[in-house]
Amino acid sequence: MIGTVLCYVLLPAARLLRALRDAFFTCRKNVLLAKSTSTQIEDVFAAARGRSVPEEQEALLQQWLEEGAGNLAASESPPEVGKASVTLTSDWLEGSELLMTSLSDLNTSPEVSQCAGQQLTDLQALASSELQEHAATELTKLPAEEPVAVAGSAPWAAVVPQTDHQIAGCATVSADVQNDDPAVLAWSLACDTETVPTDPPAWPLQATVQFCPLPTEVPYHEILWRDWEDLSVQPCVLEQVSENTPLFEFRVMSYNILAQDLVEQGIDLYLHCHPDILNWNYRLPNLLQEIQHWDPDVLCLQEVQENHYWEQLEPAFKEMGFACFYKRRTGTKTDGCAVCYKHCRFQLISFSPVEYFRPGLDVLNRDNVGLVLLLQPLLPEGCDLKAVSPLCVANTHVLFNPRRGDIKLAQMALLLAEIDKIARTTEGSYYPVILCGDLNSVPDSPLYKFIRNGELSYQGMPAWKVSGQEDFSQQFYQRKLLAPLWPSSLGVTDNCQYVALCQLEKSGRRKYSRDFLLQFRFCDAACERPPQLVLLEGVTDATPDHPAHWPKPAALVKDPDPQPFVPRSSGVIQHGLNLTSVYSHFLPQRGRPEVTTMPMGLGATVDYIFYSAKPVENGSRGGRRLYQDGALKLLGRLSLLSEDVLLMAGGLPNTFCSSDHLCLLASFGLEISGLREG
């Protein structure tokens, strides 16, 4: 029985692998034709005749002749005169048909068909030249050569001509076979909702795979399809927004664009990528096209390389109508964070950069930074600006190191303290807040829960557990968090507020300096025996005497700078901003978690957009505080992708997504209190 099962399982698998292998060699062989100009082929054939050719081409031809003898099937026959590709044997034809059947969706791309048609015309012209006899002889000897994209040119993509009978035969190929085809992986996400009827092109040979440069006008969003989720039609939102309540609507994007210096420093992380797609001259147009397509009103970027920002990004963003602010990481780091906003939609009230590095503090010894802006939405002419609340926008990139959760918490506490200062109103409440960034922490990690729930008990917690990125529980030594997490000299309370700005419960209490208190060490009150003190011989029966060198009592000197007394809690930090996440971090239609990045091929969510909301009274679920929209309402969001989908697209970065992170995009609405319709 086992032999029967293996026969039914392994035999079809072996046939499939053989077909895919043959199809792959066919693709590689045909790409030489598509990538070679008539001049190049003529020079190669001239070399075969004994003419002089450049040394580079002669060496290339010799390599083809030496390596290709073993790759070509003995049953292959020379190509017929006037045809642009090699005639395939039955085995090669079977592999090509399988490849073409799996890529049937590409037939609907007019740009690709046009590009392939142009190359076909060039090949036909070549075949009609006086060298066609020698070309037919030499092409049978050429081995399959690996296609290599030229730096600065568009990447190569398979273009598959199909006829009606081939399309009809697609039903016989199972979905598993299509998904296993490596050529399908980069294209399987092209999910155009509109069906465009196409006529089969007039190809001289069927079952031939042509290669052409990917059209530059093919936009990113048509390849890695991401749905726009309209949340304004949900009942929970409709109940909170009356029909006559106007909203100031705007879009916010958060995007880690991958600094080029970090690519070159960690090239081992991107071995799955072709070197050309990691080139900045290739990546920059892709990134700008993506940002321009989604057209955000507020743009928060991380890993922005400083020289690229000043020389290329800021000028491009200004042409798009953005006003830009940038903060480079401290120390020797060359990248930082940027916040840009449409100056036709917002007006700047205040701008505050945040540096997390503090000399002498081990818990704040890294060079990460953040930005906090207070923006005033601009209403149509004739409307009072006070009719809509200002908006606080914060952007940050938290430390990556999975083992140093203590640093991550301290950096986040500093950022929240700055947000508390900028977003606090004169009445003690807060303007609406939007917090974007790469937090290098996964959903439901302690750091995530701290931001969302407003409270975290960290005493004794292993430092690696704060972000949840990796599990180091098996290691013998584990750094643990101890209270207080940061010293009082930082000037930040356990409520993530600056000491100078926090509201004291006991306004009369002050923290005095040591020198000021020492003058009371041997005062009369200190030397008197308290009446309630229990008398213990040799312990409490001694009366302190003034030392001989102690000066006589003099007028008390006032402390020149008494500090407010702020008690530190035992291992608990809090904040009162009431933040919740735009994304749910789970894709119910696929039954998989959302992914924003794929380090080393493993999907994870580390990028977030948090926004101000109103807590539901006595509402919590699974350790999460429940919220409902307040003055700032979430109207929509751009869906994320799952790990398996990104793996089929070749991971991140890839041909169409030029960062190792996905962008996050959300649409919000601010209530305009001074305007009412009707």
Side-chain angles (χ1 to χ4, degrees):
M1 180 178 179
I2 296 178
T4 304
V5 173
L6 292 178
C7 180
Y8 278 98
V9 173
L10 297 181
L11 185 59
R15 291 177 178 175
L16 174 60
L17 290 176
R18 179 184 178 186
L20 292 177
R21 181 201 64 187
D22 295 338
F24 176 70
F25 283 120
T26 304
C27 296
R28 291 169 54 185
K29 182 164 56 179
N30 289 327
V31 76
L32 297 177
L33 292 177
K35 292 174 58 178
S36 301
T37 62
S38 58
T39 305
Q40 291 173 330
I41 296 228
E42 183 176 357
D43 291 340
V44 172
F45 298 152
R49 295 181 177 183
R51 301 176 186 176
S52 59
V53 294
E55 295 181 2
E56 181 179 351
Q57 295 183 2
E58 183 176 0
L60 180 61
L61 178 61
Q62 184 64 27
Q63 180 182 0
W64 286 345
L65 295 177
E66 292 176 356
E67 298 180 359
N71 292 337
L72 292 178
S75 58
E76 287 184 345
S77 59
E80 298 181 16
V81 176
K83 296 188 178 181
S85 62
V86 181
T87 305
L88 306 177
T89 63
S90 59
D91 291 340
W92 288 67
L93 183 60
E94 178 184 358
S96 295
E97 289 180 347
L98 177 61
L99 178 64
M100 293 166 54
T101 305
S102 303
L103 291 172
S104 60
D105 291 341
L106 292 183
N107 194 38
T108 62
S109 176
E111 297 89 345
V112 172
S113 300
Q114 180 180 1
C115 183
Q118 180 64 34
Q119 289 198 352
L120 177 63
T121 304
D122 296 340
L123 293 177
Q124 290 173 338
L126 173 65
S128 61
S129 66
E130 62 179 1
L131 300 175
Q132 60 184 359
E133 295 181 359
H134 297 280
T137 303
E138 294 299 328
L139 282 176
T140 58
K141 303 178 181 180
L142 293 180
E145 180 71 9
E146 185 71 18
V148 178
V150 181
S153 64
W156 295 86
V159 180
V160 183
Q162 291 186 340
T163 58
D164 293 339
H165 73 274
Q166 290 173 332
I167 297 176
C170 291
T172 61
V173 181
S174 65
D176 293 337
V177 173
Q178 297 183 22
N179 292 337
D180 289 339
D181 192 331
V184 183
L185 301 185
W187 292 92
S188 59
L189 299 178
C191 308
D192 194 352
T193 56
E194 298 181 3
T195 303
V196 181
T198 57
D199 297 328
W203 298 90
L205 275 180
Q206 303 298 337
T208 302
V209 180
Q210 304 288 340
F211 283 79
C212 73
L214 182 69
T216 56
E217 62 271 14
V218 176
Y220 156 88
H221 70 282
E222 292 184 4
I223 304 301
L224 290 174
W225 185 263
R226 297 172 63 182
D227 296 320
W228 179 258
E229 300 176 5
D230 187 2
L231 305 179
S232 62
V233 298
Q234 295 186 357
C236 60
V237 178
L238 295 176
E239 293 176 0
Q240 301 170 34
V241 182
S242 59
E243 295 181 359
N244 61 347
T245 301
L247 296 175
F248 176 83
E249 298 185 10
F250 60 97
R251 284 186 174 188
V252 177
M253 173 182 282
S254 179
Y255 200 178
N256 183 326
I257 63 173
L258 182 57
Q260 189 66 24
D261 282 349
L262 298 181
V263 173
E264 297 170 1
Q265 293 169 13
I267 195 65
D268 291 343
L269 299 175
Y270 310 103
L271 296 179
H272 64 284
C273 303
H274 193 282
D276 286 348
I277 71 173
L278 296 177
N279 188 287
W280 176 247
N281 293 330
Y282 178 88
R283 295 173 53 225
L284 177 62
N286 276 8
L287 295 170
L288 293 178
Q289 180 196 37
E290 184 178 1
I291 294 172
Q292 190 170 21
H293 169 76
W294 295 119
D295 192 26
D297 300 298
V298 179
L299 178 61
C300 297
L301 300 178
Q302 304 90 40
E303 289 193 18
V304 182
Q305 192 165 308
E306 185 177 28
N307 63 322
H308 291 161
Y309 172 80
W310 295 114
E311 297 171 6
Q312 297 171 307
L313 292 173
E314 187 192 39
F317 291 152
K318 285 186 175 180
E319 291 183 1
M320 298 181 192
F322 286 103
C324 305
F325 293 86
Y326 177 76
K327 176 61 180 175
R328 182 181 65 85
R329 284 200 286 169
T330 53
T332 60
K333 303 299 187 296
T334 60
D335 66 287
C337 296
V339 175
C340 311
Y341 62 90
K342 291 285 184 68
H343 53 69
C344 63
R345 304 296 312 280
F346 294 95
Q347 178 181 336
L348 180 67
I349 298 177
S350 67
F351 161 68
S352 179
V354 183
E355 295 182 358
Y356 298 143
F357 179 79
R358 294 292 189 275
L361 293 184
D362 180 65
V363 75
L364 287 171
N365 61 359
R366 302 304 168 91
D367 296 315
N368 303 82
V369 296
L371 290 171
V372 181
L373 278 69
L374 189 62
L375 304 176
Q376 176 63 55
L378 297 179
L379 299 177
E381 295 183 3
C383 299
D384 186 6
L385 291 180
K386 295 182 179 180
V388 60
S389 168
L391 176 70
C392 180
V393 177
N395 180 31
T396 188
H397 189 182
V398 174
L399 175 71
F400 168 78
N401 191 340
R403 304 171 186 266
R404 294 306 303 269
D406 53 339
I407 297 180
K408 296 173 189 279
L409 278 178
Q411 290 180 349
M412 185 54 56
L414 268 180
L415 181 66
L416 294 175
E418 192 68 28
I419 295 175
D420 177 271
K421 182 183 76 171
I422 299 298
R424 183 183 288 272
T425 66
T426 55
E427 294 81 10
S429 59
Y430 295 100
Y431 295 126
V433 175
I434 294 179
L435 170 58
C436 302
D438 180 351
L439 305 185
N440 278 313
S441 302
V442 301
D444 289 328
S445 64
L447 179 61
Y448 175 90
K449 291 180 178 178
F450 167 58
I451 298 174
R452 196 179 187 280
N453 297 341
E455 184 177 5
L456 175 66
S457 177
Y458 63 86
Q459 177 68 24
M461 179 182 297
W464 63 264
K465 199 172 183 179
V466 171
S467 64
Q469 295 167 278
E470 299 182 30
D471 186 355
F472 296 102
S473 58
Q474 302 301 323
Q475 292 191 354
F476 178 76
Y477 171 76
Q478 299 183 28
R479 182 191 300 267
K480 293 189 177 181
L481 307 186
L482 302 177
L485 186 59
W486 56 83
S488 300
S489 60
L490 186 61
V492 176
T493 70
D494 288 330
N495 291 328
C496 297
Q497 296 176 320
Y498 287 122
V499 172
L501 301 176
C502 67
Q503 298 178 352
L504 300 176
E505 297 180 359
K506 298 181 180 180
S507 58
R509 300 188 65 181
R510 292 290 186 269
K511 181 179 180 180
Y512 296 95
S513 65
R514 180 177 181 272
D515 293 338
F516 176 75
L517 294 176
L518 279 178
Q519 64 182 325
F520 301 101
R521 184 178 180 184
F522 294 103
C523 66
D524 294 338
C527 294
E528 291 181 1
R529 178 184 176 81
Q532 68 275 14
L533 184 63
V534 178
L535 181 60
L536 297 176
E537 186 177 356
V539 179
T540 60
D541 58 349
T543 301
D545 296 327
H546 291 278
H549 65 275
W550 193 259
K552 294 182 179 181
L556 296 179
V557 179
K558 293 185 178 180
D559 194 340
D561 187 22
Q563 297 292 327
F565 177 75
V566 180
R568 301 296 300 275
S569 62
S570 57
V572 178
I573 54 177
Q574 299 174 321
H575 72 84
L577 297 177
N578 295 326
L579 301 173
T580 188
S581 175
V582 164
Y583 290 90
S584 62
H585 316 304
F586 188 78
L587 299 170
Q589 68 274 18
R590 298 187 62 86
R592 296 177 179 270
E594 296 173 336
V595 166
T596 66
T597 185
M598 288 195 66
M600 305 297 291
L602 300 177
T605 293
V606 297
D607 305 276
Y608 301 92
I609 299 179
F610 291 97
Y611 70 101
S612 296
K614 185 187 302 181
V616 176
E617 187 175 357
N618 298 326
S620 63
R621 180 185 303 165
R624 286 189 179 186
R625 182 186 296 180
L626 298 182
Y627 291 94
Q628 61 183 7
D629 286 345
L632 182 63
K633 306 183 186 305
L634 177 62
L635 304 180
R637 64 193 176 198
L638 182 64
S639 66
L640 291 170
L641 303 174
S642 59
E643 181 185 66
D644 60 323
V645 171
L646 287 175
L647 284 175
M648 289 192 297
L652 293 174
N654 54 50
T655 306
F656 306 101
C657 181
S658 289
S659 174
D660 56 352
H661 292 247
L662 295 176
C663 70
L664 279 63
L665 183 70
S667 176
F668 296 96
L670 271 173
E671 290 184 357
I672 305 177
S673 59
L675 297 178
R676 298 286 177 180
E677 298 179 359

